[in-house]
Amino acid sequence: SKRRRLTAPGEHRKKSASRMVEDGIDEAEMFSKAEIRRFVKSFKKFGPPAKRLKEIGKDACLSASLPELEALLDCIHRKCTEAEDYGTNLDGTVKKNVSISVGGCSFPYDKIVQRETL
């Protein structure tokens, strides 16, 4: 069996760039959990998110620039497509209660996709 390498308290192991890609480091890490929750809550209120990204950011009280909001939206969209692939069984039926995790916050997949398709 493999032994886990322990580090001293307060000491962190550095991750290589390839390991960060494997671990799924995403663009959502530049936002706090509260900001991501507010963004998704505002995201659900408005219509097509790509067209109204400024209004969504303003409603969520985010001071992020438009490219940062686009990166967060792309991250959410990517997670939704991954959840869609995961949530579909081989026979074509869809699993219930599939959720996505963005920046440490978990959201129901179906509610987000519902707003994305409007």
Side-chain angles (χ1 to χ4, degrees):
S1 70
K2 293 184 179 181
R3 296 185 81 180
R4 187 172 173 198
R5 187 173 159 193
L6 298 176
T7 57
E11 182 183 321
H12 299 287
R13 289 177 33 194
K14 291 183 179 179
K15 291 185 178 182
S16 65
S18 62
R19 176 122 186 208
M20 291 175 93
V21 171
E22 289 174 7
D23 290 348
I25 304 297
D26 53 13
E27 297 87 7
E29 287 191 353
M30 68 178 79
F31 296 97
S32 68
K33 288 182 180 183
E35 289 174 332
I36 293 172
R37 285 189 191 103
R38 286 195 315 256
F39 180 81
V40 171
K41 186 176 180 180
S42 297
F43 175 86
K44 290 178 185 178
K45 277 192 224 176
F46 288 88
K51 297 177 183 176
R52 305 189 67 188
L53 204 51
K54 275 187 179 179
E55 289 86 5
I56 292 171
K58 195 177 284 187
D59 185 58
C61 301
L62 297 177
S63 60
S65 65
L66 192 61
E68 291 173 341
L69 293 175
E70 287 174 351
L72 181 59
L73 183 65
D74 288 340
C75 180
I76 291 172
H77 180 72
R78 186 172 10 93
K79 298 278 185 169
C80 284
T81 54
E82 290 173 7
E84 186 176 13
D85 294 340
Y86 170 76
T88 306
N89 292 328
L90 293 175
D91 59 351
T93 59
V94 179
K95 294 179 184 179
K96 290 184 178 181
N97 302 329
V98 177
S99 63
I100 63 170
S101 178
V102 179
C105 302
S106 185
F107 302 103
Y109 155 78
D110 55 344
K111 301 287 183 184
I112 294 176
V113 170
Q114 199 175 36
R115 299 310 283 164
E116 249 187 7
T117 57
L118 290 177

